[in-house]
Short mmCIF file of all heavy atoms in Angstrom, two decimals:
data_model
loop_
_atom_site.label_atom_id
_atom_site.label_comp_id
_atom_site.label_asym_id
_atom_site.label_seq_id
_atom_site.Cartn_x
_atom_site.Cartn_y
_atom_site.Cartn_z
N SER L 252 -6.92 3.78 13.87
CA SER L 252 -5.75 3.80 12.97
C SER L 252 -5.11 2.42 12.88
O SER L 252 -5.20 1.61 13.81
CB SER L 252 -4.70 4.79 13.48
OG SER L 252 -5.21 6.10 13.51
N LEU L 253 -4.47 2.19 11.77
CA LEU L 253 -3.63 1.02 11.57
C LEU L 253 -2.44 1.42 10.71
O LEU L 253 -2.55 2.36 9.90
CB LEU L 253 -4.39 -0.10 10.83
CG LEU L 253 -5.39 -0.96 11.60
CD1 LEU L 253 -6.11 -1.89 10.64
CD2 LEU L 253 -4.70 -1.76 12.69
N ARG L 254 -1.34 0.70 10.88
CA ARG L 254 -0.20 0.89 9.99
C ARG L 254 0.15 -0.43 9.35
O ARG L 254 0.47 -1.40 10.04
CB ARG L 254 1.02 1.44 10.73
CG ARG L 254 2.14 1.82 9.75
CD ARG L 254 3.32 2.47 10.41
NE ARG L 254 4.25 1.50 10.97
CZ ARG L 254 5.55 1.74 11.13
NH1 ARG L 254 6.06 2.91 10.76
NH2 ARG L 254 6.32 0.82 11.67
N LEU L 255 0.08 -0.46 8.04
CA LEU L 255 0.46 -1.63 7.28
C LEU L 255 1.93 -1.54 6.90
O LEU L 255 2.43 -0.46 6.62
CB LEU L 255 -0.39 -1.76 6.01
CG LEU L 255 -1.90 -1.78 6.20
CD1 LEU L 255 -2.59 -1.98 4.85
CD2 LEU L 255 -2.34 -2.82 7.19
N TRP L 271 0.06 0.70 -2.78
CA TRP L 271 -0.94 -0.06 -2.06
C TRP L 271 -2.25 -0.02 -2.84
O TRP L 271 -2.67 1.06 -3.30
CB TRP L 271 -1.16 0.50 -0.65
CG TRP L 271 -0.02 0.29 0.28
CD1 TRP L 271 1.02 1.14 0.50
CD2 TRP L 271 0.21 -0.84 1.11
NE1 TRP L 271 1.89 0.61 1.41
CE2 TRP L 271 1.40 -0.61 1.82
CE3 TRP L 271 -0.47 -2.04 1.34
CZ2 TRP L 271 1.94 -1.52 2.73
CZ3 TRP L 271 0.05 -2.95 2.25
CH2 TRP L 271 1.24 -2.69 2.93
N ARG L 302 -6.13 11.14 4.85
CA ARG L 302 -6.28 10.17 5.94
C ARG L 302 -5.17 9.13 5.94
O ARG L 302 -4.76 8.67 7.01
CB ARG L 302 -7.63 9.46 5.82
CG ARG L 302 -8.82 10.35 5.90
CD ARG L 302 -10.12 9.56 5.95
NE ARG L 302 -10.31 8.72 4.76
CZ ARG L 302 -10.48 7.40 4.79
NH1 ARG L 302 -10.46 6.76 5.95
NH2 ARG L 302 -10.65 6.73 3.67
N PHE L 303 -4.69 8.77 4.78
CA PHE L 303 -3.65 7.76 4.64
C PHE L 303 -2.33 8.42 4.25
O PHE L 303 -2.32 9.41 3.51
CB PHE L 303 -4.03 6.74 3.57
CG PHE L 303 -5.19 5.85 3.90
CD1 PHE L 303 -5.99 6.06 5.01
CD2 PHE L 303 -5.48 4.77 3.08
CE1 PHE L 303 -7.06 5.24 5.31
CE2 PHE L 303 -6.55 3.93 3.36
CZ PHE L 303 -7.34 4.17 4.48
N THR L 304 -1.23 7.82 4.70
CA THR L 304 0.10 8.30 4.33
C THR L 304 0.97 7.11 3.94
O THR L 304 1.13 6.17 4.73
CB THR L 304 0.76 9.05 5.49
OG1 THR L 304 -0.07 10.14 5.89
CG2 THR L 304 2.13 9.58 5.08
N ILE L 305 1.52 7.18 2.75
CA ILE L 305 2.44 6.14 2.30
C ILE L 305 3.86 6.62 2.52
O ILE L 305 4.16 7.81 2.35
CB ILE L 305 2.20 5.78 0.81
CG1 ILE L 305 3.03 4.55 0.42
CG2 ILE L 305 2.47 6.96 -0.11
CD1 ILE L 305 2.67 3.99 -0.96
N SER L 306 4.73 5.71 2.91
CA SER L 306 6.14 6.05 3.12
C SER L 306 6.98 4.80 2.85
O SER L 306 6.44 3.71 2.64
CB SER L 306 6.38 6.57 4.54
OG SER L 306 6.05 5.57 5.49
N TYR L 315 5.35 1.43 3.90
CA TYR L 315 4.34 1.52 4.94
C TYR L 315 3.10 2.24 4.41
O TYR L 315 3.17 3.05 3.49
CB TYR L 315 4.87 2.30 6.14
CG TYR L 315 6.14 1.76 6.72
CD1 TYR L 315 7.39 2.28 6.35
CD2 TYR L 315 6.11 0.71 7.64
CE1 TYR L 315 8.56 1.77 6.88
CE2 TYR L 315 7.28 0.21 8.17
CZ TYR L 315 8.51 0.74 7.80
OH TYR L 315 9.67 0.24 8.32
N LEU L 316 1.98 1.94 5.06
CA LEU L 316 0.76 2.70 4.82
C LEU L 316 0.14 3.00 6.18
O LEU L 316 -0.37 2.10 6.85
CB LEU L 316 -0.22 1.92 3.95
CG LEU L 316 -1.48 2.70 3.57
CD1 LEU L 316 -1.14 3.85 2.61
CD2 LEU L 316 -2.53 1.78 2.94
N GLN L 317 0.24 4.25 6.58
CA GLN L 317 -0.39 4.70 7.82
C GLN L 317 -1.81 5.11 7.50
O GLN L 317 -2.03 5.99 6.65
CB GLN L 317 0.38 5.88 8.41
CG GLN L 317 -0.24 6.45 9.67
CD GLN L 317 -0.19 5.49 10.84
OE1 GLN L 317 0.83 4.85 11.08
NE2 GLN L 317 -1.29 5.38 11.58
N MET L 318 -2.76 4.48 8.17
CA MET L 318 -4.18 4.73 7.90
C MET L 318 -4.83 5.30 9.15
O MET L 318 -4.87 4.63 10.19
CB MET L 318 -4.87 3.44 7.48
CG MET L 318 -4.21 2.75 6.29
SD MET L 318 -5.12 1.31 5.71
CE MET L 318 -4.96 0.22 7.12
N ASN L 319 -5.30 6.52 9.05
CA ASN L 319 -5.97 7.19 10.16
C ASN L 319 -7.42 7.46 9.81
O ASN L 319 -7.81 7.42 8.65
CB ASN L 319 -5.25 8.50 10.48
CG ASN L 319 -3.82 8.31 10.91
OD1 ASN L 319 -3.47 7.31 11.52
ND2 ASN L 319 -2.97 9.29 10.59
#
Side-chain angles (χ1 to χ4, degrees):
S252 298
L253 282 174
R254 188 175 84 153
L255 305 183
W271 290 92
R302 299 187 299 123
F303 292 9
T304 302
I305 188 170
S306 62
Y315 305 96
L316 184 68
Q317 178 67 44
M318 305 186 294
N319 298 329

